[in-house]
Amino acid sequence: MKAEYINPFLESAKIVIEQVVQIRPATGELGLKDIKFVENYIWIQIGLNGQMNGDIVFGLSEEVAMKMVSAMMGGYVISEIDEIVKSAISELGNMISGNASTMLFNQGVRVDITPPKVIQSAQSAGFTAQKALTIPLIMDGIGELDIQVLIAS
């Protein structure tokens, strides 16, 4: 697993979040950690195919998801995880991954991304817990969004 694979996703996430959530996220500590599926969490899984194969998984608590979508919708109060929230979070993942795949292409790495899949439970994940290269993005007043890279070597 190469650390440089996470950089385009990190840079893209910072740009997209700043554009749609109106907050410049700070970068947390890069690390290798076990993926654990916990309750009250949402993951956006995006598959990578081509010169990179694996998954990018964006993980955030339901509370952070609601705050992000509220900010995306101009402050409209969100009180539950409904289809609108899932759709908005999914689109956020899609925008981040689309930008990142363009950045990778510009670095000479050809990769296709799959449409985002919103996961709310370990049973629906379709893959087992494993280690991932992880970096948190800290959004002031909102919380953290974890970017987790699961690359098949």
Side-chain angles (χ1 to χ4, degrees):
M1 185 179 322
K2 295 182 181 176
E4 62 263 22
Y5 287 157
I6 203 166
N7 289 334
F9 291 92
L10 175 62
E11 287 308 309
S12 178
K14 288 162 90 172
I15 292 165
V16 170
I17 289 168
E18 189 168 11
Q19 287 173 346
V20 299
V21 183
Q22 307 296 310
I23 289 176
R24 180 75 177 162
T27 306
E29 198 69 33
L30 177 68
L32 191 63
K33 74 178 193 183
D34 292 322
I35 301 297
K36 292 189 180 92
F37 289 99
V38 293
E39 294 305 310
N40 302 318
Y41 231 73
I42 295 177
W43 291 268
I44 304 111
Q45 177 187 8
I46 296 164
L48 303 171
N49 301 301
Q51 287 178 272
M52 285 172 57
N53 290 296
D55 294 287
I56 294 289
V57 181
F58 302 101
L60 62 164
S61 72
E62 290 182 357
E63 181 183 344
V64 170
M66 289 187 287
K67 286 180 181 178
M68 285 183 79
V69 173
S70 175
M72 290 167 72
M73 296 173 72
Y76 180 80
V77 178
I78 307 288
S79 58
E80 66 178 337
I81 301 295
D82 57 14
E83 291 307 311
I84 291 172
V85 172
K86 289 180 190 176
S87 176
I89 289 297
S90 178
E91 184 52 33
L92 186 72
N94 200 34
M95 291 166 66
I96 292 168
S97 299
N99 283 352
S101 67
T102 300
M103 290 177 186
L104 286 164
F105 180 81
N106 290 337
Q107 294 171 9
V109 179
R110 294 184 190 279
V111 65
D112 290 320
I113 59 171
T114 64
K117 182 168 125 181
V118 176
I119 302 166
Q120 277 190 277
S121 70
Q123 292 78 26
S124 63
F127 58 85
T128 56
Q130 54 186 302
K131 288 200 180 296
L133 197 56
T134 303
I135 192 155
L137 287 179
I138 300 123
M139 296 165 285
D140 197 30
I142 291 183
E144 289 188 12
L145 167 74
D146 275 342
I147 302 174
Q148 301 165 338
V149 183
L150 293 71
I151 302 293
S153 39

